[in-house]
Amino acid sequence: MYRISKTMLSLPDTSMEDYVAAEQAAERLRDGYAAYFRNFDVLLTPVLPVPAHKHGIKDLVVNGETVDLTYLQGAGVPLNVTGLPGLSMRFGMSREGLPINVQLVGRWQSETTILHAASVLEAVSPVRGLRPSL
C-alpha cells in the first residue's frame, strides 16, 4: 500500500480539464450501475482478479506474466467511485490455503439487501466455519 501511495503522491497535479472529465466518467459509471440495479438486486464480483497473495510482495505474476500491483484494484475501484454499498466475504480458498473473497454490491441505500444476500451465501459457503489456527 505504501508503494502505491508513494507513487500516487509523486504524480503531477491533475488539471481542471482532466478532473472534470474524470467526474463525468464517474457519473456515466453511476448511471450504468443504476440501470443494472433496475433489474437486479445484487451484483456479485470477485474482490481481486487473482487469489490472495502473501503480504509484502513486490511483483505479481499472473499467467506467467509480471503485472503491476495496481492490477489488483480492477474489481474494486469502479465500485468505490460510485459510492455503492458493498461488502466482501471469504467464499473459497486457494491451493495455497489463502482466502478467495467475493464482494456483494447493491443499489444505493440497500444495505439490508446485501447483508441478506451475504447471509444466504455464507450458509452455503465451502469455507463456512473454517478458522485460522492460532
Side-chain angles (χ1 to χ4, degrees), residues 108-119:
W108 291 276
Q109 300 179 345
S110 70
E111 287 83 353
T112 55
T113 302
I114 58 174
L115 288 170
H116 176 72
S119 71

Side-chain angles (χ1 to χ4, degrees), residues 7-131:
T7 300
M8 291 175 71
L9 291 172
S10 71
L11 298 173
D13 289 339
T14 303
S15 70
M16 185 55 75
E17 182 178 290
D18 288 345
Y19 175 79
V20 169
E23 282 296 319
Q24 290 172 340
E27 194 59 38
R28 287 190 301 277
L29 191 57
R30 286 183 202 96
D31 289 346
Y33 280 114
Y36 172 86
F37 285 118
R38 281 195 286 275
N39 298 312
F40 303 99
D41 295 326
V42 176
L43 174 63
L44 175 69
T45 72
V47 171
L48 297 175
V50 295
H53 53 80
K54 295 190 183 229
H55 289 280
I57 65 166
K58 301 225 184 298
D59 295 310
L60 179 66
V61 179
V62 177
N63 295 328
E65 185 177 330
T66 301
V67 297
D68 190 274
L69 289 176
T70 57
Y71 175 80
L72 297 175
Q73 301 173 350
V77 169
L79 296 165
N80 291 341
V81 168
T82 64
L84 290 164
L87 63 80
S88 66
M89 61 183 286
R90 184 177 180 192
F91 196 72
M93 194 176 336
S94 70
R95 284 184 221 108
E96 295 80 22
L98 295 169
I100 296 176
N101 293 351
V102 296
Q103 63 183 346
L104 294 163
V105 182
R107 65 176 54 94
W108 291 276
Q109 300 179 345
S110 70
E111 287 83 353
T112 55
T113 302
I114 58 174
L115 288 170
H116 176 72
S119 71
V120 171
L121 275 181
E122 185 177 45
V124 299
S125 171
V127 294
R128 181 176 186 213
L130 289 181
R131 305 282 184 265

